[in-house]
Amino acid sequence: MENKETVLVTGGTGFIASYCIIRLLNAGYKVKASVRSLKSTDELQAMLKQGGIASFDNLMVVEANLNNESSWDAAVSGCSYVIHTASPTPNTDAKTDDDFVIPARNGVLFVMRAAQKAGVKRFVLTSAFGAVGYGTSKTTPYTEEDWTEINEIVAPYQKSKTLSEKAAWEFISTEGKGLELAVINPTGVYGPVLSGNFSHSIQPVFQMLNGAVKACPKITSGYVDVRDVAELHFLAMTSPAANSQRFIAVAGQAVSLLDIAKILRKNLGEKAAKVPTKEIPSCLVKIGALFNPKLALVLPYLGSIKEASNEKAKRLLGWKPRSTEEAIVATANSLIHLNLIKK
């Protein structure tokens, strides 16, 4: 299984990044994982062990920062491919749109410039469905042809993903000089967590199991298992058909938060005793948002149904995602297994 090629995976301790590293190591690649501080090395190795990796002989952890362009030259050196997952996320202390947008856009360009100089073959960018289906509404599923329209209702995170992805495509068209680009646009990412420091996307299931949510807001979205997101990154890196393409990562039809609650109750029995059984009227959410900043964050999504198509990834790359139900149950079981749910 030995493969002499090296892949840089940025944001190494992230949810998607860690599974990309697992997929690459299992396929025999050498991996450089970038982290903001080498102090994160033990955390990363513990996560990878939880994911089934027994040897770190083909793993090198390197320090690089999205705010420091010069830090990427050494990180990219010797790499045939880059999988760039690192980006500001909604659980940061960002105060303004620029706190999201500027690091995300600059970070993409810093890593792409370094990759282009180092002779990297292909750059796989982790964008998001946030760059596809916001600021607009559709009665048909969103596809890779769609782009988020930046307006006052688009949240800073989605804005950062949209503008940073557009910057990547612009770089390829103007400065790429042979560097190939493929982009992955995941919907909500579920699947087995590898540590207590888990992604913001896991919060709905975590809060439901812990009884922190008494009723579900009316929000309907697409979801996908993190293992399938990693597989799609791998296919986008290795398949000739993926060059210059973007791919939505979604398991199937969109489901509501209440649907998720029902899946948890059906599959977990007593372990899901605290999971809510009803929806909260949107008017009550709007009133509560006047006093609770966390509730205010969900207002743009109330009542919306974001259907997305996975047809392109399946057709071009042969991608075969798990079901949404399997992803949700795997998320819950991992939280329980790691003793992250209150008894």
Side-chain angles (χ1 to χ4, degrees), residues 44-250:
L44 174 57
Q45 290 186 348
M47 292 169 68
L48 298 178
K49 280 182 183 175
Q50 183 67 34
I53 297 298
S55 168
F56 300 118
D57 290 347
N58 284 340
L59 175 70
M60 179 189 300
V61 182
V62 296
E63 193 170 286
N65 194 304
L66 292 180
N67 296 318
N68 180 0
E69 182 166 13
S70 63
S71 68
W72 293 101
D73 289 335
V76 171
S77 177
C79 294
S80 299
Y81 304 97
V82 172
I83 295 178
H84 181 48
T85 77
S87 186
T89 54
N91 57 0
T92 67
D93 295 324
K95 299 291 190 296
T96 69
D97 286 7
D98 281 352
D99 291 334
F100 278 98
V101 171
I102 292 174
R105 184 171 54 202
N106 285 353
V108 166
L109 294 175
F110 292 166
V111 186
M112 290 189 86
R113 285 189 192 116
Q116 194 272 324
K117 283 191 292 183
V120 165
K121 297 177 189 176
R122 184 173 293 179
F123 192 99
V124 181
L125 172 64
T126 311
S127 184
F129 182 71
V132 175
Y134 289 87
T136 62
S137 60
K138 284 183 71 176
T139 55
T140 55
Y142 286 90
T143 73
E144 290 80 0
E145 299 300 314
D146 294 305
W147 281 90
T148 288
E149 293 184 13
I150 303 296
N151 57 38
E152 66 280 355
I153 66 167
V154 173
Y157 176 69
Q158 276 109 31
K159 190 177 292 187
S160 76
K161 284 297 189 182
T162 305
L163 295 176
S164 60
E165 186 187 337
K166 286 188 172 182
W169 289 116
E170 177 68 15
F171 178 88
I172 288 296
S173 69
T174 58
E175 303 176 55
K177 297 177 184 173
L179 178 65
E180 297 180 350
L181 175 64
V183 175
I184 309 300
N185 300 84
T187 51
V189 182
Y190 283 155
V193 303
L194 299 175
S195 76
N197 182 21
F198 50 78
S199 165
H200 67 275
S201 64
I202 302 297
Q203 282 294 334
V205 171
F206 176 72
Q207 291 175 351
M208 286 183 191
L209 290 174
N210 270 323
V213 178
K214 304 306 179 188
C216 300
K218 290 185 178 181
I219 298 173
T220 302
S221 303
Y223 297 93
V224 63
D225 192 292
V226 66
R227 294 165 291 184
D228 297 319
V229 177
E231 181 63 21
L232 190 50
H233 279 75
F234 184 82
L235 292 170
M237 185 186 91
T238 56
S239 171
N243 182 32
S244 300
Q245 303 294 330
R246 64 202 300 240
F247 299 95
I248 294 174
V250 63

Side-chain angles (χ1 to χ4, degrees), residues 27-48:
Y29 286 86
K30 294 183 182 349
V31 177
K32 280 187 175 183
S34 81
V35 292
R36 284 191 294 265
S37 167
L38 292 178
K39 294 175 183 176
S40 300
T41 301
D42 289 346
E43 177 191 358
L44 174 57
Q45 290 186 348
M47 292 169 68
L48 298 178

Side-chain angles (χ1 to χ4, degrees), residues 264-292:
L264 293 173
R265 286 183 163 275
K266 181 181 89 171
N267 288 277
L268 298 179
E270 283 302 308
K271 293 176 182 175
K274 298 176 184 176
V275 171
T277 59
K278 58 184 183 297
E279 280 185 330
I280 181 170
S282 296
C283 59
L284 293 183
V285 177
K286 291 173 183 176
I287 293 169
L290 298 174
F291 311 99
N292 184 337

Side-chain angles (χ1 to χ4, degrees), residues 301-317:
Y301 315 117
L302 278 180
S304 67
I305 299 175
K306 297 291 185 182
E307 290 286 359
S309 171
N310 61 16
E311 186 274 335
K312 183 178 177 181
K314 293 198 292 189
R315 172 175 50 84
L316 275 189
L317 303 182

